[in-house]
Amino acid sequence: MDHPATHVPPAPADLEKGTGVLEVSSRSTSTENISSSSEPHAPIPIPIPPKLSKWNQRIESLSGLEARGITRVLPSERHGHSVMGYIQMSLLWFSANISANNLAVGLLGPLLFGLGFLDSAMCSVFGILVGSAATAYMSIWGAQSGNRTMIVARYFMGYWPAKLPCILNMILMIGYGTIDCIIGGQILSAVSGGSMTIVVGIVIVALISWVVAVFGMAIFHVYERWAWIPQVIVLFILVGSAGPSFNPNLQNTGSAGAITAGRLSFFSLQLSVPVSWAAASSDFYVYYPENTKKWKVFLMTMTGLTLAFTFVNMLGIGLASGIATNPLWDEANKVSSGALILAGYGPLNGFGKFCGVIVALGVISNNIPGTYASALGFQVLGRYGKMVPRYFWVCVIVLIYFICAVAGRNNLFDILQNFVALMGYWTMIFVAIVLEEHLIFRRPGLAGGFDWTAWEDKTRLPLGLAALVAFLLGWVGAIIGMYQNWYMGPVAAKVGGIGADIGVWLGCAFALVVFPPLRYLELKKYGR
């Protein structure tokens, strides 16, 4: 039997299957519980033009193409347990994140925040652990529910308010797609000695990402299962080639207050990268059995994320630490981050350039899951978005981040510093709300639980008023605590005398404090 990561079963009939109608559930009074294998709602058909339906059937008849969009995967459509299925969980996250774009984040510790090697490494490791734990927690809902992450969000934030994190998640994934394309384009341009422009490199990365994401889950999992192998090999070669120029004795620079501010900001930045997957992490587990152990999902996801991020960030910190003492690296860094990575292979000459190409293509593994998840977001936004097949939305997403990458190809550091941290704010606020709803109001043994068959029935989902208010107030906390090039919050400005980014922490604190009493009042008044 195929394990859940390699086979995609057919979805219920709708446009995704080319039947000419789209099923949108209406109100239902069913009290089906979490383990129900059928959907109790009566579908409302939305007519689809015959010509569009015909073309859709032709496209989706292509071998290996996943037609399913956000429709819930019923327990009867999933596959059995297997050891390889659990291993695939770790391989997915390890392969997706052992990439050059995450290595570039490690550069910022010494280069942007003035931290020494040890402080950069400590902030990186502990930030990665916290961020990975949040994403691993959010991943447990995929197998249990059979729903995508932004569908699961409806059970915690309500049908309408859940559209807000859905939109933010789409922006987040498009942003990371932009960064991936820029990094890949920079490295390929550096390998060619400048004869290939960064734009051409961006085209190559975007095109391959598009092909894999269009075909969907089956090919995506196969790709991620093997793509990490050449990446690990060439990155270990980078350790051997560039390692002698690393400076583990690099010290912090600046006043005591500036160092404290740098530590806080870099820790928050490192946390923000792995936690950015939290709003998509369940998407890739919906074909696993519903009785899959939550602790196993958490552990395997945590393992893959932590190993990948720690490895590449240590490499980034090492490269940054050597810039001050290696003139060739300093000159390369003035060109681009991609040129710096290639300079690390400098002693290997032609073989080093070959390794640089492999590193550049490695960002595709990071790009594919984000492209896949953000395309699903269009369908989550409403029934008319669901009318359009998933593969079409993939095309739209790729086009958007291709344009953004071309426009921002010379401003990578600014994008990394501002965009990554900014997106980390809302993700942690969202996770905080989910955690409290789960542990306080829907804890095991408490009446209520989750009816996963109600995934698009507005009358059986929470109103989400408490979650919406908590989410918005969390943003207030993030705003007064954020530190960006274009804005410094009043509280952030007081840290260390020069300012530090504490928006993640204030945002979470605000949401954690206000959500429980508001949710209690919402349940008391509305009962759901």
Side-chain angles (χ1 to χ4, degrees), residues 418-435:
N418 296 305
F419 173 79
V420 174
L422 189 63
M423 290 295 101
Y425 302 147
W426 80 263
T427 314
M428 285 301 294
I429 294 169
F430 170 68
V431 173
I433 292 172
V434 171
L435 188 66

Side-chain angles (χ1 to χ4, degrees), residues 49-173:
K51 185 174 291 187
L52 176 61
S53 179
K54 183 178 180 180
W55 275 105
N56 185 63
Q57 290 181 46
R58 288 182 179 180
I59 293 173
E60 292 186 348
S61 66
L62 295 173
S63 177
L65 189 140
E66 180 190 12
R68 183 188 294 272
I70 61 170
T71 306
R72 179 180 179 237
V73 182
L74 303 178
S76 59
E77 296 178 296
R78 306 185 206 177
H79 297 283
H81 296 282
S82 71
V83 173
M84 188 59 207
Y86 286 110
I87 294 175
Q88 179 67 18
M89 292 181 180
S90 288
L91 288 180
L92 162 64
W93 296 110
F94 183 77
S95 181
N97 293 292
I98 189 167
S99 54
N101 61 309
N102 292 322
L103 187 154
V105 177
L107 299 174
L108 301 180
L111 298 183
L112 184 64
F113 298 108
L115 299 179
F117 187 95
L118 180 60
D119 280 39
S120 294
M122 294 293 287
C123 290
S124 178
V125 170
F126 286 103
I128 288 167
L129 285 171
V130 176
S132 298
T135 293
Y137 165 70
M138 288 301 302
S139 71
I140 67 175
W141 303 106
Q144 180 181 348
S145 68
N147 287 318
R148 313 290 184 167
T149 315
M150 287 294 98
I151 294 294
V152 172
R154 294 174 176 176
Y155 290 83
F156 298 96
M157 295 196 66
Y159 183 89
W160 294 107
K163 296 181 187 297
L164 179 56
C166 178
I167 293 171
L168 291 172
N169 188 55
M170 292 166 64
I171 296 172
L172 173 63
M173 295 304 168

Side-chain angles (χ1 to χ4, degrees), residues 233-245:
I233 293 172
V234 297
L235 289 177
F236 270 113
I237 291 173
L238 180 61
V239 172
S241 173
S245 295

Side-chain angles (χ1 to χ4, degrees), residues 485-505:
N485 286 342
W486 45 272
Y487 174 79
M488 184 188 304
V491 177
K494 299 182 181 298
V495 180
I498 64 168
D501 192 350
I502 55 173
V504 167
W505 311 110

Side-chain angles (χ1 to χ4, degrees), residues 121-321:
M122 294 293 287
C123 290
S124 178
V125 170
F126 286 103
I128 288 167
L129 285 171
V130 176
S132 298
T135 293
Y137 165 70
M138 288 301 302
S139 71
I140 67 175
W141 303 106
Q144 180 181 348
S145 68
N147 287 318
R148 313 290 184 167
T149 315
M150 287 294 98
I151 294 294
V152 172
R154 294 174 176 176
Y155 290 83
F156 298 96
M157 295 196 66
Y159 183 89
W160 294 107
K163 296 181 187 297
L164 179 56
C166 178
I167 293 171
L168 291 172
N169 188 55
M170 292 166 64
I171 296 172
L172 173 63
M173 295 304 168
I174 291 171
Y176 276 111
T178 301
I179 293 171
D180 288 335
C181 287
I182 294 175
I183 287 281
Q186 286 180 346
I187 298 175
L188 291 173
S189 177
V191 168
S192 70
S195 61
M196 175 191 291
T197 65
I198 294 177
V199 173
V200 175
I202 290 172
V203 170
I204 293 172
V205 173
L207 186 61
I208 299 175
S209 301
W210 169 75
V211 171
V212 179
V214 159
F215 274 87
M217 191 72 78
I219 293 179
F220 156 65
H221 271 292
V222 172
Y223 185 93
E224 298 289 356
R225 188 187 306 166
W226 303 107
W228 64 274
I229 297 176
Q231 287 300 301
V232 169
I233 293 172
V234 297
L235 289 177
F236 270 113
I237 291 173
L238 180 61
V239 172
S241 173
S245 295
F246 290 179
N247 182 13
N249 297 315
L250 182 70
Q251 299 299 308
N252 299 319
T253 59
S255 64
I259 293 171
T260 299
R263 288 167 177 164
L264 275 172
S265 295
F266 191 52
F267 178 85
S268 299
L269 183 66
Q270 287 287 349
L271 177 157
S272 297
V273 181
V275 82
S276 64
W277 288 116
S281 57
S282 287
D283 292 5
F284 314 111
Y285 296 156
V286 293
Y287 293 107
Y288 282 79
E290 63 177 341
N291 60 349
T292 301
K293 298 293 184 183
K294 293 181 183 179
W295 69 268
K296 290 184 179 179
V297 176
F298 179 93
L299 181 62
M300 300 306 288
T301 302
M302 180 81 175
T303 299
L305 287 168
T306 303
L307 289 177
F309 279 112
T310 301
F311 182 31
V312 294
N313 273 280
M314 291 303 101
L315 269 175
I317 292 168
L319 286 171
S321 71

Side-chain angles (χ1 to χ4, degrees), residues 242-508:
S245 295
F246 290 179
N247 182 13
N249 297 315
L250 182 70
Q251 299 299 308
N252 299 319
T253 59
S255 64
I259 293 171
T260 299
R263 288 167 177 164
L264 275 172
S265 295
F266 191 52
F267 178 85
S268 299
L269 183 66
Q270 287 287 349
L271 177 157
S272 297
V273 181
V275 82
S276 64
W277 288 116
S281 57
S282 287
D283 292 5
F284 314 111
Y285 296 156
V286 293
Y287 293 107
Y288 282 79
E290 63 177 341
N291 60 349
T292 301
K293 298 293 184 183
K294 293 181 183 179
W295 69 268
K296 290 184 179 179
V297 176
F298 179 93
L299 181 62
M300 300 306 288
T301 302
M302 180 81 175
T303 299
L305 287 168
T306 303
L307 289 177
F309 279 112
T310 301
F311 182 31
V312 294
N313 273 280
M314 291 303 101
L315 269 175
I317 292 168
L319 286 171
S321 71
I323 288 177
T325 56
N326 190 320
L328 293 177
W329 288 12
D330 185 43
E331 288 299 317
N333 185 56
K334 292 176 182 177
V335 177
S336 69
S337 301
L340 173 61
I341 295 171
L342 186 64
Y345 288 109
L348 304 179
N349 301 315
F351 180 68
K353 291 185 177 181
F354 170 77
C355 292
V357 173
I358 301 300
V359 170
L361 297 179
V363 301
I364 296 170
S365 296
N366 186 266
N367 215 12
I368 294 168
T371 304
Y372 179 91
S374 54
L376 293 171
F378 280 107
Q379 295 189 333
V380 176
L381 291 179
R383 67 179 194 170
Y384 291 105
K386 189 183 174 186
M387 289 174 63
V388 180
R390 181 195 60 82
Y391 62 81
F392 177 84
W393 290 126
V394 169
C395 299
V396 173
I397 292 294
V398 172
L399 180 62
I400 292 173
Y401 66 60
F402 167 74
I403 294 172
C404 291
V406 172
R409 62 189 183 278
N410 297 319
N411 301 288
L412 178 62
F413 263 36
D414 288 338
I415 296 173
L416 283 173
Q417 180 191 3
N418 296 305
F419 173 79
V420 174
L422 189 63
M423 290 295 101
Y425 302 147
W426 80 263
T427 314
M428 285 301 294
I429 294 169
F430 170 68
V431 173
I433 292 172
V434 171
L435 188 66
E436 285 195 323
E437 173 75 12
H438 178 207
L439 298 182
I440 298 175
F441 299 100
R442 306 210 193 205
R443 62 184 182 271
L446 191 68
F450 297 94
D451 179 2
W452 299 119
T453 66
W455 63 277
E456 59 176 355
D457 188 341
K458 305 178 189 66
T459 65
R460 298 161 61 201
L461 292 167
L463 289 177
L465 299 178
L468 178 61
V469 173
F471 189 81
L472 296 177
L473 289 178
W475 261 107
V476 172
I479 290 171
I480 65 175
M482 71 169 56
Y483 181 92
Q484 304 296 334
N485 286 342
W486 45 272
Y487 174 79
M488 184 188 304
V491 177
K494 299 182 181 298
V495 180
I498 64 168
D501 192 350
I502 55 173
V504 167
W505 311 110
L506 286 181
C508 280

